[in-house]
Amino acid sequence: MDFKRIELIFLTAFAALDIFLVISFFQNNSDVHSTSQGASHNATILKEMRDDSISFSKPSNKKGQGYYISTQTSGNKRLKEKMESLTAQSAKMVNGEIISTFNTPLTLNTKSPEKTLNQIVNDSNQIVNGKHYQYDAKTSTGSQIIYTQMVSGQRIFSRSGQIRFKINSGGQVVGYTQGYLTDANPLREKQDTISQERAIIWLYQYNEVPNESVIKWARLGYTRLLSIQKGSVYVPTWYIAVHGKSSATLQYYRINAFTGVIMKYNTQVQSSSSSSSSSSTAESSSEDDSSLLNQAVSSSKRAVESSTQASVQATTRRAYSSSSTSSSSTNAVSTSSSESTSSQVSSSSSASSEVH
């Protein structure tokens, strides 16, 4: 009797194990199939971009990681105190930024400006918290040299975390503006970000990349998502530079690396809490961070809904334009009466292209 019971238990256990293994097998196959479909879809869109004469280096399809990061405006007071001890310059604080003019313009090494400016930036008597910044050759120009603040190993792509050195016509550094993020802390654990490849595809699907343009680079960093009275929230962002055929300058775009939404404007949010209380207890700080995170997530959701609609509309217009062009080409090889119809369709297609 006991032997039969043990035998039944073993049979039941083996049956349950078999069911578990079969389910796992089909789930894994489904994941592989889904991944394969996604890769194939991305490859199709990248080919479509090249067919539109859009040039770019092969983008990475690896996902990254990042945080929602909060900063506190209360740190501006400490920043101002440090600013007052700077030497060889006239500095003032305006709207949380340091604006300074050097007493004597600095002669710049034009080929490698960082060789001159690194010494200035790393000197605490010249630049406040300069060791937290790194030279950014990709966004620097002939009229300004940019150093970006590093937070959680990534660059800040908002001027609120940058030093912008001003260059005069003689190639000399005459002064700078500086934004600094104080008390920058993650609001929650790391999350996966979309890949560089996916960010470029999203930008194209938003109709922001014109034909015959060049995507110069796409870099992952942080951009301000929203601001309230007590602080701001920054989100991982793909920062993309596009050189259009008819443009003499680069156009910069930002893609939210969590949601894939294009970021055109920073969201400004009024604080609902009273500013009269200045309690700095751990509990109130935690509540502030929680409020910032909730508002950031809500803002992202609204942006996703808006951008998804825009993306669908742009894709529909592009598909309509493509089908119209195809239709006109087919009709062109017909009779003379159909050629007239083809001409009308072609005109409609051109008008559609001009609109978007």
Side-chain angles (χ1 to χ4, degrees), residues 67-72 78 149 151-152 156 181-189 222 232-235 285 289 292-293:
Y67 303 95
Y68 281 106
I69 288 179
S70 69
T71 64
Q72 302 297 322
R78 300 197 302 272
Q149 186 178 347
V151 175
S152 295
I156 298 295
L181 305 185
T182 58
D183 303 320
N185 295 300
L187 288 176
R188 59 164 60 167
E189 66 279 0
Y222 282 94
S232 301
V233 172
Y234 287 74
V235 67
S285 176
D289 284 351
L292 278 170
L293 181 57

Side-chain angles (χ1 to χ4, degrees), residues 200-217:
I200 289 174
I201 287 174
W202 270 114
L203 188 65
Y204 172 71
Q205 291 180 320
Y206 289 138
N207 252 22
E208 296 290 348
V209 185
N211 292 355
E212 301 183 16
S213 59
V214 179
I215 298 176
K216 304 293 286 186
W217 44 258

Side-chain angles (χ1 to χ4, degrees), residues 112-123:
S112 301
E114 73 278 12
K115 291 183 178 179
T116 303
L117 293 175
N118 281 350
Q119 298 178 7
I120 304 299
V121 171
N122 292 325
D123 185 350

